Amino acid sequence: MKTVNIMIVGVGGQGSLLASKLLGRLLVDEGYDVKVSEVHGMSQRGGSVVTYVRYGDRVYSPLITEGEADYIVSFEKLEAARWATCLRPGGTVIVNTQQIDPMPVIIGKATYPSGILDELRAKGVEVEEVDALTTALEAGSAKAVNIVLMARLAKRLDIPREKWIEAIGKSVAPKFVEMNEKAFTLGYDR
Amino acid sequence: MKKLMIGNEAVARGLYDGGIGLVSSYPGTPSTEITEFLAEYDDIHSEWAPNEKVALEVAFGASLAGVRSACAMKHVGLNVAADPLFTLSYTGVSGGLVICVADDPAMHSSQNEQDSRRYAIASKVPMLEPSDSAEAYEFSRAAFELSEKYDTPVLLRMCTRVAHSRSIVEPGEREVPERKRYVKTPEKYVMMPAYAKRRHPIVEERTKALAEFSENCPFNRVEMGGDEIGIITSGTSYNYVKEVLGDSVSVLKIGMTNPLPDSLILDFASKVKKLYVVEELEPVIEERCRILGLDPIGKSLFPMIGEFSQKTVAAAFGIEDAPTVSADTEAPARPPMMCPGCPHRGIYYVLAKKKITVLGDIGCYTLGAQPPLCAVDTTLCMGASVSGTHGFLKASEPDVAKRTVAVIGDSTFIHSGVTGLINVAYNGSPSTVVILDNSITGMTGHQQNPTTGYNIKGDPASKVDLEALCRAVGINRVRVVDPYDLDECERVLTEELEADEPSVVISRRPCVLLKYVKAAPPLAVDREKCRSCKRCMGLGCPAISLTDGKASIDATLCVGCGVCDKLCPFDAIGRKGETK
């Protein structure tokens, strides 16, 4: 099979590490060769963060570069646009509609671009907008934004729904399992 | 059982299964998780040391006692541990000793791009370099035996993309060798000239023996794929070569970076028409090839700077870029920044307001250099804020002391700031040193340190009394401030800058990300009262932005620290439901 490339992007602190960990575990259980590349340390402090998830028969590089990503799951609108160059033609963006202003915007040195998702659509990118925050809050916590977005990705991947539920059970602390399962279900069925 | 592990977890598991009994480290991205994962095992001793030099010396002590030991550090940490490293090369070991060092090409979280392979060569210590988590497990496990067989410490070189990438590992079982008995052997361990002179030839002989081992060791391997192109590569670069070129070229994959296998390299080179070396950072393998009389294509084609990817390899071999899609509008940068409620912000705000020259240090608080605060003038290495300020003041007009401070975090102060402070007191400069005591080692992801009162397991431990420590080294003026109280910070800093003798100002408030720190209710802006003066914007708080010209606070980000509230001249900021 052709290697599938998924990028999970967002703002440091939004929970993208848990999402990639969950996805990685699931893919290994499904028997794929998997590589996941994460960002730790300084760049995590409110900066732009990117995680690469790649799976297939044999995966060498842990990175995804320009024109290679099949899916970009973005926790924030601007970040979807920032990493869009990594998308292959015909690729898909699943984006949380949250807007988080970066510091240059906050201090007035730059403006938060409007209509950036429509620009991507105009170039033939399939953009799925998700109000993941509202769904996460419905499930019980703003922190479940990551699970809601993973649920939207799950709709597009060839992995049975119950496997995802199983992986969530193994990836989050016991007291948060129920809430995260609910977030997944709400996200999946919306 | 197959497990997906980040490289650092695989190293920890490899060391554990290899029979480790003690690990001592100082945290540093991208090496930190090695020690954190090892700390999860209760049948070994694990600890955070005050710095990398102490950590390596502790590991040496354990080795001397006959126990397999390790330490982990980032590349610049090895600079600190270089002193014991070079002489450990002479003494050798009893129990196996592995030094894990993680380089950071592209400087994701570092101040330089030094290549640790140079240290292996300079200290004449063997170095292994895994490409993924499976190798990280195998190599670190095997490193103990190599260490004991050749009586040498072993360096295990990681890099960010191996340390922080997850790939599949099939771990085995832990095997602990019998502990070796300590026998007094001064001619091996007392490195005074007479004995050291006898050890040096042993080191040279060992290097020859290791070079021979390198020729046939399991860490280096040839993957033939035709006689046109041959590529010598190592570490994460191997992955990019295979990703792009697959089996269409021949590859000599180097897993033992020092000493390099000369005969294997020559033999490989003789079998291909065109020879390339693909390595990140320094041309270490390439230079060895040149010494051997080969003329490979290396740094003339591949960058010396930053990290590689499959794109680097594709470009070098003339493979066309994949078509991409992108928005025409450029996305504004999103640099890392101090968190909402970060206790460092208040101090920096006051220092920036007073236009103070700040010699900074290494930690989250380095981010004070970013706009809008722009409060930091220098960042060199761990501890340099304190010693640098002393030198700066000694070489400047006396009044410069009234507008210069050193700013250093609690963990960094213990790491190597305290020695600089002793110098300040001893050699007498009117330095003002601000210690940002946030009760944790923050940037590397919350590790305990000697000032927090807890050890690596989270159990209560001896706690450094910073005030008493500063007084004990000869600083008479020691003040403590709450960085959320801007008026107090300004008053105290002004007084201490005016003082003609050295002083320490401890800015004390725990990191807001600590679990026990409970957020206060978020603040909100009264749009009627806000006059768009933008003073609150000067804090650089991610929770505050302008909406239609007026300040607004994102309630999901705000932790209610109240610093902006104190700053607002129009009383426009308050907690919801509060009347002003």
Side-chain angles (χ1 to χ4, degrees):
Chain A
M1 70 175 278
K2 196 187 155 296
T3 297
V4 179
N5 297 320
I6 302 167
M7 289 172 68
I8 302 172
V9 303
V11 178
Q14 278 191 300
S16 58
L17 274 185
L18 179 82
S20 64
K21 211 173 155 181
L22 169 75
L23 182 55
R25 179 192 285 263
L26 187 61
L27 293 165
V28 172
D29 289 350
E30 289 294 292
Y32 295 108
D33 188 24
V34 181
K35 281 230 165 86
V36 179
S37 194
E38 304 170 349
V39 175
H40 298 238
M42 178 179 260
S43 27
Q44 269 187 295
R45 296 276 174 262
S48 171
V49 292
V50 55
T51 301
Y52 307 103
V53 180
R54 311 188 68 214
Y55 67 98
D57 298 328
R58 178 73 171 98
V59 181
Y60 283 103
S61 172
L63 304 179
I64 296 168
T65 63
E66 282 89 338
E68 293 182 334
D70 298 290
Y71 303 96
I72 293 179
V73 180
S74 182
F75 283 54
E76 200 272 350
K77 283 193 293 180
L78 179 59
E79 295 311 308
R82 182 189 316 286
W83 296 100
T85 52
C86 290
L87 215 54
R88 68 165 169 76
T92 303
V93 173
I94 298 168
V95 55
N96 180 19
T97 49
Q98 219 172 335
Q99 171 173 337
I100 301 175
D101 287 349
M103 196 47 71
V105 171
I106 289 177
I107 61 175
K109 295 262 191 267
T111 47
Y112 194 101
S114 59
I116 205 156
L117 297 178
D118 289 332
E119 247 183 72
L120 291 177
R121 280 194 189 96
K123 306 223 164 176
V125 176
E126 188 189 342
V127 180
E128 180 189 332
E129 293 186 51
V130 186
D131 182 358
L133 186 59
T134 302
T135 310
L137 287 170
E138 201 183 320
S141 168
K143 290 210 163 91
V145 160
N146 50 13
I147 300 296
V148 176
L149 291 170
M150 281 300 106
R152 297 313 301 164
L153 177 68
K155 293 281 273 189
R156 295 167 183 272
L157 299 183
D158 198 18
I159 299 165
R161 176 183 181 144
E162 56 276 11
K163 296 275 184 184
W164 282 87
I165 299 284
E166 211 176 288
I168 289 169
K170 287 190 219 163
S171 298
V172 306
K175 62 176 173 175
F176 297 122
V177 170
E178 199 182 322
M179 186 270 290
N180 280 299
E181 280 180 5
K182 190 174 172 194
F184 185 86
T185 305
L186 289 171
Y188 197 91
D189 294 335
R190 72 186 277 283
Chain B
M1 191 193 139
K2 281 185 181 177
K3 256 196 96 180
L4 199 61
M5 293 183 183
I6 59 167
N8 282 347
E9 181 180 3
V11 170
R13 184 64 195 263
L15 293 172
Y16 182 74
D17 286 355
I20 194 173
L22 176 144
V23 62
S24 180
S25 304
Y26 184 81
T29 312
S31 73
T32 312
E33 299 82 6
I34 295 172
T35 309
E36 289 183 319
F37 278 109
L38 279 169
E40 289 177 10
Y41 298 110
D42 287 327
D43 52 346
I44 66 166
H45 173 78
S46 52
E47 63 176 38
W48 290 125
N51 66 35
E52 295 85 352
K53 173 173 147 64
V54 173
L56 180 49
E57 291 156 355
V58 169
F60 158 71
S63 163
L64 187 68
V67 167
R68 290 184 169 180
S69 64
C71 52
M73 59 197 67
K74 66 186 292 168
H75 58 328
V76 285
L78 193 53
N79 299 336
V80 181
D83 200 0
L85 170 70
F86 278 72
T87 307
L88 266 171
S89 175
Y90 279 34
T91 65
V93 301
S94 175
L97 201 171
V98 180
I99 303 160
C100 310
V101 56
D103 288 5
D104 190 17
M107 293 176 277
H108 295 275
S109 216
S110 302
Q111 65 268 42
N112 75 26
E113 273 190 311
Q114 71 187 46
D115 188 327
S116 297
R117 294 177 298 170
R118 298 286 196 204
Y119 265 114
I121 296 164
S123 64
K124 300 174 191 269
V125 166
M127 176 178 261
L128 305 180
E129 192 182 359
S131 292
D132 59 18
S133 297
E135 284 190 354
Y137 173 79
E138 285 161 28
F139 288 16
S140 42
R141 184 176 184 143
F144 282 126
E145 245 170 78
L146 186 68
S147 170
E148 287 170 10
K149 187 174 173 198
Y150 290 90
D151 192 8
T152 174
V154 172
L155 283 158
L156 181 87
R157 183 195 188 217
M158 301 289 281
C159 69
T160 301
R161 293 305 180 186
V162 178
H164 287 160
S165 288
R166 287 178 195 279
S167 57
I168 293 169
V169 181
E170 289 187 67
E173 295 293 320
R174 174 164 159 92
E175 288 169 56
V176 186
E178 202 177 322
R179 180 205 191 107
K180 293 181 184 168
R181 205 166 52 88
Y182 171 67
V183 182
K184 183 167 176 165
T185 35
E187 62 279 12
K188 177 163 158 48
Y189 291 113
V190 181
M191 284 304 96
M192 58 185 189
Y195 290 146
K197 279 177 193 167
R198 280 192 243 159
R199 289 300 297 180
H200 191 182
I202 295 171
V203 173
E204 297 307 324
E205 285 306 311
R206 180 184 73 204
T207 299
K208 280 185 205 155
L210 281 163
E212 215 162 283
F213 169 76
S214 186
E215 300 289 353
N216 298 300
C217 74
F219 310 114
N220 302 323
R221 67 169 185 267
V222 174
E223 297 168 7
M224 285 310 284
D227 60 0
E228 282 300 318
I229 292 174
I231 299 175
I232 308 177
T233 186
S234 70
T236 189
S237 303
Y238 166 80
N239 296 319
Y240 310 136
V241 167
K242 292 298 279 189
E243 177 80 30
V244 175
L245 302 167
D247 299 331
S248 70
V249 296
S250 292
V251 173
L252 168 54
K253 188 205 178 284
I254 301 288
M256 186 162 181
T257 310
N258 189 56
L260 286 166
D262 291 351
S263 303
L264 187 61
I265 289 172
L266 286 167
D267 182 58
F268 179 74
S270 73
K271 288 180 181 154
V272 294
K273 292 187 181 127
K274 217 167 171 188
L275 186 67
Y276 292 82
V277 176
V278 183
E279 56 188 327
E280 282 181 338
L281 301 181
E282 295 286 297
V284 171
I285 299 173
E286 182 181 349
E287 283 171 6
R288 189 69 203 170
C289 287
R290 294 197 187 286
I291 288 170
L292 297 174
L294 300 169
D295 184 24
I297 300 163
K299 291 297 168 187
S300 59
L301 190 60
F302 293 91
M304 185 95 80
I305 297 161
E307 62 179 2
F308 292 178
S309 67
Q310 52 267 43
K311 201 178 163 68
T312 320
V313 176
F317 286 91
I319 296 163
E320 250 180 74
D321 283 350
T324 65
V325 273
S326 66
D328 298 324
T329 313
E330 205 179 311
R334 190 187 299 274
M337 55 198 173
M338 290 187 283
C339 307
C342 176
H344 303 328
R345 183 174 284 109
I347 281 283
Y348 275 134
Y349 182 79
V350 172
L351 291 171
K353 182 183 160 196
K354 289 174 67 72
K355 298 193 165 50
I356 302 292
T357 299
V358 174
L359 279 80
D361 227 297
I362 310 277
C364 282
Y365 49 91
T366 313
L367 295 171
Q370 304 264 42
L373 290 164
C374 302
V376 178
D377 291 61
T378 69
T379 299
L380 181 64
C381 64
M382 299 285 282
S385 59
V386 184
S387 21
T389 298
H390 174 80
F392 189 65
L393 298 186
K394 284 286 181 191
S396 301
E397 297 297 320
D399 64 318
V400 171
K402 302 196 188 312
R403 39 175 210 274
T404 305
V405 299
V407 171
I408 185 166
D410 50 352
S411 187
T412 309
F413 178 72
I414 296 298
H415 179 284
S416 45
V418 65
T419 40
L421 190 67
I422 292 168
N423 189 49
V424 164
Y426 175 57
N427 285 311
S429 65
S431 300
T432 302
V433 175
V434 179
I435 302 175
L436 303 172
D437 179 8
N438 66 346
S439 306
I440 203 74
T441 310
M443 181 60 87
T444 44
H446 281 189
Q447 290 74 34
Q448 304 295 343
N449 69 56
T451 71
T452 67
Y454 296 93
N455 64 20
I456 196 170
K457 301 262 191 190
D459 296 327
S462 167
K463 179 180 161 112
V464 171
D465 180 337
L466 280 176
E467 292 93 312
L469 175 63
C470 295
R471 288 198 188 94
V473 304
I475 308 294
N476 298 318
R477 302 179 67 100
V478 180
R479 311 279 296 271
V480 180
V481 296
D482 175 357
Y484 281 0
D485 188 341
L486 299 182
D487 292 340
E488 185 197 21
C489 288
E490 185 162 355
R491 183 173 52 77
V492 170
L493 279 169
T494 305
E495 285 170 14
E496 296 312 317
L497 283 163
E498 285 299 321
D500 288 330
E501 58 172 310
S503 51
V504 168
V505 177
I506 299 170
S507 167
R508 181 166 288 147
R509 188 169 265 280
C511 172
V512 286
L513 298 182
L514 283 164
K515 284 209 175 85
Y516 66 82
V517 177
K518 295 289 170 235
L523 297 160
V525 178
D526 184 337
R527 290 185 64 85
E528 298 288 305
K529 288 184 182 171
C530 176
R531 308 237 191 118
S532 307
C533 75
K534 297 184 187 171
R535 189 175 293 187
C536 55
M537 307 294 293
L539 284 168
C541 176
I544 309 175
S545 58
L546 281 187
T547 309
D548 304 326
K550 296 203 172 183
S552 73
I553 295 173
D554 184 333
T556 62
L557 294 174
C558 178
V559 296
C561 75
V563 171
C564 56
D565 179 15
K566 288 170 192 132
L567 217 54
C568 178
F570 305 109
D571 262 357
I573 301 176
R575 292 189 207 284
K576 273 190 182 151
E578 250 177 40
T579 46
K580 283 227 164 189

PDB file of all heavy atoms in Angstrom, chain B residues 390-409:
ATOM      1  N   HIS B 390      28.621  40.183  36.136  1.00  0.00           N
ATOM      2  CA  HIS B 390      29.792  40.570  36.938  1.00  0.00           C
ATOM      3  C   HIS B 390      30.879  41.165  36.034  1.00  0.00           C
ATOM      4  O   HIS B 390      31.398  42.252  36.290  1.00  0.00           O
ATOM      5  CB  HIS B 390      30.326  39.347  37.690  1.00  0.00           C
ATOM      6  CG  HIS B 390      31.604  39.577  38.425  1.00  0.00           C
ATOM      7  ND1 HIS B 390      31.654  40.202  39.651  1.00  0.00           N
ATOM      8  CD2 HIS B 390      32.893  39.287  38.103  1.00  0.00           C
ATOM      9  CE1 HIS B 390      32.924  40.276  40.054  1.00  0.00           C
ATOM     10  NE2 HIS B 390      33.686  39.725  39.131  1.00  0.00           N
ATOM     11  N   GLY B 391      31.196  40.472  34.957  1.00  0.00           N
ATOM     12  CA  GLY B 391      32.228  40.965  34.034  1.00  0.00           C
ATOM     13  C   GLY B 391      31.820  42.259  33.354  1.00  0.00           C
ATOM     14  O   GLY B 391      32.635  43.171  33.186  1.00  0.00           O
ATOM     15  N   PHE B 392      30.539  42.321  32.978  1.00  0.00           N
ATOM     16  CA  PHE B 392      30.000  43.506  32.312  1.00  0.00           C
ATOM     17  C   PHE B 392      30.148  44.739  33.210  1.00  0.00           C
ATOM     18  O   PHE B 392      30.583  45.806  32.760  1.00  0.00           O
ATOM     19  CB  PHE B 392      28.524  43.250  31.981  1.00  0.00           C
ATOM     20  CG  PHE B 392      27.864  44.284  31.116  1.00  0.00           C
ATOM     21  CD1 PHE B 392      28.272  44.491  29.804  1.00  0.00           C
ATOM     22  CD2 PHE B 392      26.812  45.053  31.603  1.00  0.00           C
ATOM     23  CE1 PHE B 392      27.640  45.437  28.993  1.00  0.00           C
ATOM     24  CE2 PHE B 392      26.176  45.992  30.808  1.00  0.00           C
ATOM     25  CZ  PHE B 392      26.600  46.184  29.497  1.00  0.00           C
ATOM     26  N   LEU B 393      29.847  44.556  34.484  1.00  0.00           N
ATOM     27  CA  LEU B 393      29.921  45.684  35.421  1.00  0.00           C
ATOM     28  C   LEU B 393      31.370  46.049  35.740  1.00  0.00           C
ATOM     29  O   LEU B 393      31.706  47.224  35.850  1.00  0.00           O
ATOM     30  CB  LEU B 393      29.153  45.372  36.707  1.00  0.00           C
ATOM     31  CG  LEU B 393      27.642  45.121  36.535  1.00  0.00           C
ATOM     32  CD1 LEU B 393      26.966  44.965  37.884  1.00  0.00           C
ATOM     33  CD2 LEU B 393      26.985  46.248  35.736  1.00  0.00           C
ATOM     34  N   LYS B 394      32.225  45.046  35.850  1.00  0.00           N
ATOM     35  CA  LYS B 394      33.645  45.315  36.125  1.00  0.00           C
ATOM     36  C   LYS B 394      34.269  46.141  35.002  1.00  0.00           C
ATOM     37  O   LYS B 394      35.214  46.883  35.215  1.00  0.00           O
ATOM     38  CB  LYS B 394      34.414  43.999  36.291  1.00  0.00           C
ATOM     39  CG  LYS B 394      34.187  43.306  37.625  1.00  0.00           C
ATOM     40  CD  LYS B 394      34.912  44.032  38.758  1.00  0.00           C
ATOM     41  CE  LYS B 394      34.716  43.332  40.099  1.00  0.00           C
ATOM     42  NZ  LYS B 394      35.182  44.156  41.230  1.00  0.00           N
ATOM     43  N   ALA B 395      33.741  45.962  33.786  1.00  0.00           N
ATOM     44  CA  ALA B 395      34.332  46.630  32.627  1.00  0.00           C
ATOM     45  C   ALA B 395      33.589  47.908  32.244  1.00  0.00           C
ATOM     46  O   ALA B 395      33.935  48.539  31.245  1.00  0.00           O
ATOM     47  CB  ALA B 395      34.351  45.661  31.451  1.00  0.00           C
ATOM     48  N   SER B 396      32.551  48.273  33.011  1.00  0.00           N
ATOM     49  CA  SER B 396      31.728  49.433  32.634  1.00  0.00           C
ATOM     50  C   SER B 396      31.867  50.560  33.653  1.00  0.00           C
ATOM     51  O   SER B 396      32.418  50.369  34.741  1.00  0.00           O
ATOM     52  CB  SER B 396      30.251  49.025  32.547  1.00  0.00           C
ATOM     53  OG  SER B 396      30.089  48.012  31.594  1.00  0.00           O
ATOM     54  N   GLU B 397      31.335  51.729  33.278  1.00  0.00           N
ATOM     55  CA  GLU B 397      31.274  52.859  34.205  1.00  0.00           C
ATOM     56  C   GLU B 397      30.394  52.457  35.397  1.00  0.00           C
ATOM     57  O   GLU B 397      29.451  51.683  35.224  1.00  0.00           O
ATOM     58  CB  GLU B 397      30.655  54.078  33.504  1.00  0.00           C
ATOM     59  CG  GLU B 397      31.462  54.597  32.325  1.00  0.00           C
ATOM     60  CD  GLU B 397      32.845  55.111  32.742  1.00  0.00           C
ATOM     61  OE1 GLU B 397      32.932  55.756  33.810  1.00  0.00           O
ATOM     62  OE2 GLU B 397      33.815  54.843  32.009  1.00  0.00           O
ATOM     63  N   PRO B 398      30.671  53.014  36.575  1.00  0.00           N
ATOM     64  CA  PRO B 398      29.941  52.590  37.786  1.00  0.00           C
ATOM     65  C   PRO B 398      28.414  52.702  37.673  1.00  0.00           C
ATOM     66  O   PRO B 398      27.689  51.848  38.195  1.00  0.00           O
ATOM     67  CB  PRO B 398      30.456  53.536  38.864  1.00  0.00           C
ATOM     68  CG  PRO B 398      31.789  53.986  38.372  1.00  0.00           C
ATOM     69  CD  PRO B 398      31.724  53.993  36.879  1.00  0.00           C
ATOM     70  N   ASP B 399      27.921  53.717  36.983  1.00  0.00           N
ATOM     71  CA  ASP B 399      26.457  53.900  36.961  1.00  0.00           C
ATOM     72  C   ASP B 399      25.732  52.823  36.141  1.00  0.00           C
ATOM     73  O   ASP B 399      24.514  52.682  36.234  1.00  0.00           O
ATOM     74  CB  ASP B 399      26.105  55.303  36.442  1.00  0.00           C
ATOM     75  CG  ASP B 399      26.549  55.495  35.003  1.00  0.00           C
ATOM     76  OD1 ASP B 399      27.671  55.046  34.672  1.00  0.00           O
ATOM     77  OD2 ASP B 399      25.790  56.063  34.203  1.00  0.00           O
ATOM     78  N   VAL B 400      26.473  52.056  35.334  1.00  0.00           N
ATOM     79  CA  VAL B 400      25.848  50.982  34.545  1.00  0.00           C
ATOM     80  C   VAL B 400      25.205  49.939  35.469  1.00  0.00           C
ATOM     81  O   VAL B 400      24.185  49.336  35.142  1.00  0.00           O
ATOM     82  CB  VAL B 400      26.894  50.332  33.596  1.00  0.00           C
ATOM     83  CG1 VAL B 400      26.323  49.081  32.930  1.00  0.00           C
ATOM     84  CG2 VAL B 400      27.329  51.333  32.545  1.00  0.00           C
ATOM     85  N   ALA B 401      25.800  49.778  36.645  1.00  0.00           N
ATOM     86  CA  ALA B 401      25.267  48.801  37.608  1.00  0.00           C
ATOM     87  C   ALA B 401      23.846  49.160  38.019  1.00  0.00           C
ATOM     88  O   ALA B 401      23.079  48.298  38.437  1.00  0.00           O
ATOM     89  CB  ALA B 401      26.166  48.727  38.840  1.00  0.00           C
ATOM     90  N   LYS B 402      23.480  50.437  37.896  1.00  0.00           N
ATOM     91  CA  LYS B 402      22.150  50.874  38.326  1.00  0.00           C
ATOM     92  C   LYS B 402      21.083  50.559  37.276  1.00  0.00           C
ATOM     93  O   LYS B 402      19.899  50.802  37.498  1.00  0.00           O
ATOM     94  CB  LYS B 402      22.157  52.375  38.634  1.00  0.00           C
ATOM     95  CG  LYS B 402      23.181  52.724  39.724  1.00  0.00           C
ATOM     96  CD  LYS B 402      22.953  54.077  40.322  1.00  0.00           C
ATOM     97  CE  LYS B 402      24.082  54.491  41.270  1.00  0.00           C
ATOM     98  NZ  LYS B 402      24.461  53.451  42.267  1.00  0.00           N
ATOM     99  N   ARG B 403      21.486  50.058  36.125  1.00  0.00           N
ATOM    100  CA  ARG B 403      20.500  49.681  35.116  1.00  0.00           C
ATOM    101  C   ARG B 403      20.835  48.352  34.425  1.00  0.00           C
ATOM    102  O   ARG B 403      20.554  48.147  33.247  1.00  0.00           O
ATOM    103  CB  ARG B 403      20.310  50.808  34.091  1.00  0.00           C
ATOM    104  CG  ARG B 403      21.554  51.548  33.672  1.00  0.00           C
ATOM    105  CD  ARG B 403      21.260  52.554  32.558  1.00  0.00           C
ATOM    106  NE  ARG B 403      22.424  52.692  31.733  1.00  0.00           N
ATOM    107  CZ  ARG B 403      23.417  53.528  31.989  1.00  0.00           C
ATOM    108  NH1 ARG B 403      23.367  54.326  33.038  1.00  0.00           N
ATOM    109  NH2 ARG B 403      24.460  53.595  31.190  1.00  0.00           N
ATOM    110  N   THR B 404      21.450  47.457  35.198  1.00  0.00           N
ATOM    111  CA  THR B 404      21.784  46.132  34.655  1.00  0.00           C
ATOM    112  C   THR B 404      21.414  45.040  35.665  1.00  0.00           C
ATOM    113  O   THR B 404      21.713  45.189  36.857  1.00  0.00           O
ATOM    114  CB  THR B 404      23.306  46.035  34.373  1.00  0.00           C
ATOM    115  OG1 THR B 404      23.682  47.101  33.510  1.00  0.00           O
ATOM    116  CG2 THR B 404      23.655  44.708  33.722  1.00  0.00           C
ATOM    117  N   VAL B 405      20.787  43.994  35.200  1.00  0.00           N
ATOM    118  CA  VAL B 405      20.540  42.848  36.079  1.00  0.00           C
ATOM    119  C   VAL B 405      20.856  41.541  35.361  1.00  0.00           C
ATOM    120  O   VAL B 405      20.897  41.484  34.131  1.00  0.00           O
ATOM    121  CB  VAL B 405      19.060  42.755  36.559  1.00  0.00           C
ATOM    122  CG1 VAL B 405      18.628  43.966  37.356  1.00  0.00           C
ATOM    123  CG2 VAL B 405      18.118  42.508  35.385  1.00  0.00           C
ATOM    124  N   ALA B 406      21.077  40.516  36.162  1.00  0.00           N
ATOM    125  CA  ALA B 406      21.128  39.140  35.663  1.00  0.00           C
ATOM    126  C   ALA B 406      19.779  38.509  35.972  1.00  0.00           C
ATOM    127  O   ALA B 406      19.234  38.727  37.050  1.00  0.00           O
ATOM    128  CB  ALA B 406      22.235  38.371  36.360  1.00  0.00           C
ATOM    129  N   VAL B 407      19.230  37.754  35.030  1.00  0.00           N
ATOM    130  CA  VAL B 407      17.964  37.048  35.280  1.00  0.00           C
ATOM    131  C   VAL B 407      18.182  35.558  35.021  1.00  0.00           C
ATOM    132  O   VAL B 407      18.620  35.165  33.936  1.00  0.00           O
ATOM    133  CB  VAL B 407      16.827  37.586  34.384  1.00  0.00           C
ATOM    134  CG1 VAL B 407      15.591  36.699  34.508  1.00  0.00           C
ATOM    135  CG2 VAL B 407      16.470  39.012  34.766  1.00  0.00           C
ATOM    136  N   ILE B 408      17.875  34.765  36.036  1.00  0.00           N
ATOM    137  CA  ILE B 408      18.151  33.321  35.946  1.00  0.00           C
ATOM    138  C   ILE B 408      17.061  32.539  36.686  1.00  0.00           C
ATOM    139  O   ILE B 408      16.540  33.000  37.697  1.00  0.00           O
ATOM    140  CB  ILE B 408      19.567  33.032  36.530  1.00  0.00           C
ATOM    141  CG1 ILE B 408      19.956  31.561  36.342  1.00  0.00           C
ATOM    142  CG2 ILE B 408      19.668  33.434  38.010  1.00  0.00           C
ATOM    143  CD1 ILE B 408      21.447  31.306  36.576  1.00  0.00           C
ATOM    144  N   GLY B 409      16.702  31.376  36.170  1.00  0.00           N
ATOM    145  CA  GLY B 409      15.667  30.556  36.813  1.00  0.00           C
ATOM    146  C   GLY B 409      16.225  29.759  37.987  1.00  0.00           C
ATOM    147  O   GLY B 409      17.442  29.634  38.147  1.00  0.00           O
TER     148      GLY B 409
END
